Amino acid sequence: MRVTVLGTGTMGAGVAGSLLREGHEVTVWNRSADKAAPLGDRGATVAEDPGGAVTSAEVVLLTLFDTDAVVDVLEAAAGDAPEDAVWVQCSTIGVAGTETVVQLAAKYGITLVEAMMLGTKAPAEHGTLTMLAAGPAAELDRIDPVLDAVGAKTIRAGEQVGAGTALKLAANAWIASITAATGQSLAVATALGLDPALFLQAIEGSASDSAYAHTKGAAMIDGRFPAQFALDGLRKDIGLITDAARDTGVSTVLLDALGRVYADASAAGHGGDDIAAVGTAF
């Protein structure tokens, strides 16, 4: 399929690479052109502007950082895409942001679905993301080849755009919690005079075990945090989750605490590091 990826940051670049590997005809654009250029060496067409990127697209993926970026890019490109193109909102922008984009799509007569990406840099590069999709079934059927190229599985959360976002917020609340909890347990073990690796050995194979705890825990013990999922990106998501919880009457006690501990790690200079750097806050 002819697929355009608007936004080639950590996730967008990985997704574009997976699409190329699976034989799709890929066009890419990024506000910072240097981040899109390497994909040109791999066979993608590198566009100079969003409008030029979508002129022949069958599927347009929006893989951007926040609501403002999605709105700016969508407005810049909306009039240049074929009328039958399916636009896929993949950016984590929360409930209010998603509502804004849905309204904007209606204004421009755009066919919009969403496919949230559950995973980090490596799964994006390897095509093993979990895709959390939502929208009319017929439109999701049309983009199945794209979702299959970038994900190991797709979960259809509902036929209304916003259901995928809701599921992504719930999933990222879990990721934020388990990563911070891993850092806390390692810090407690260390403070009590133990080798922190003993904590990971203790939970291994038990009902409380988690592959994520081992992955992030190993980075915490090593003290090196090459970014798979940037800490400030998760901080942004925690804010979106907190807003959604507050608006629907869910207690934000744990979310507020998570917000503080990730903010502490960011303030110490780890905002661009992997989320495992939250362990430094303890």
Side-chain angles (χ1 to χ4, degrees):
M1 297 185 76
R2 296 186 303 278
V3 186
T4 293
V5 180
L6 298 176
T8 57
T10 299
M11 299 300 288
V15 164
S18 291
L19 289 166
L20 288 166
R21 187 174 57 249
E22 294 300 316
H24 292 279
E25 185 178 331
V26 180
T27 299
V28 297
W29 170 85
N30 194 73
R31 195 178 306 276
S32 300
D34 59 305
K35 291 187 177 181
L39 291 162
D41 297 334
R42 298 175 60 183
T45 298
V46 181
E48 295 184 358
D49 57 76
V54 303
T55 53
S56 62
E58 295 175 274
V59 179
V60 180
L61 302 182
L62 295 159
T63 53
L64 300 153
F65 183 71
D66 58 18
T67 302
D68 288 345
V70 174
V71 168
D72 288 348
V73 171
L74 193 152
E75 288 192 316
D80 296 299
E83 289 186 4
D84 60 350
V86 180
W87 293 65
V88 188
Q89 207 301 96
C90 302
S91 317
T92 306
I93 58 176
V95 174
T98 299
E99 291 174 354
T100 296
V101 173
V102 167
Q103 292 171 8
L104 199 59
K107 172 184 173 181
Y108 288 109
I110 286 172
T111 298
L112 180 74
V113 299
E114 64 179 349
M116 299 291 103
M117 300 177 289
L118 189 58
T120 55
K121 179 181 179 181
E125 293 174 342
H126 298 150
T128 56
L129 294 165
T130 295
M131 306 303 291
L132 311 178
E139 305 303 340
L140 294 181
D141 289 344
R142 288 177 59 193
I143 67 167
D144 265 342
V146 172
L147 300 183
D148 289 344
V150 301
K153 68 177 181 180
T154 297
I155 297 175
R156 295 194 180 188
E159 292 214 351
Q160 183 173 348
V161 173
T165 287
L167 187 54
K168 177 65 180 292
L169 295 180
N172 274 13
W174 168 249
I175 289 168
S177 299
I178 199 169
T179 305
T182 300
Q184 176 178 257
S185 290
L186 292 173
V188 169
T190 301
L192 294 176
L194 298 175
D195 177 351
L198 290 172
F199 160 67
L200 298 177
Q201 293 176 31
I203 64 171
E204 187 173 11
S206 71
S208 62
D209 199 4
S210 163
Y212 213 76
H214 289 279
T215 298
K216 298 306 180 185
M220 292 173 188
I221 292 170
D222 189 45
R224 299 182 182 182
F225 311 109
Q228 294 289 317
F229 183 176
L231 188 140
D232 275 348
L234 185 55
R235 278 188 67 209
K236 180 261 295 182
D237 293 352
I238 292 170
L240 297 173
I241 299 162
T242 303
D243 289 343
R246 185 177 295 114
D247 290 345
T248 52
V250 175
S251 170
T252 64
V253 170
L254 179 55
L255 289 165
D256 292 339
L258 289 170
R260 289 194 297 273
V261 74
Y262 281 91
D264 287 346
S266 180
H270 295 290
D273 290 338
D274 188 76
I275 60 174
V278 71
T280 64
F282 294 100

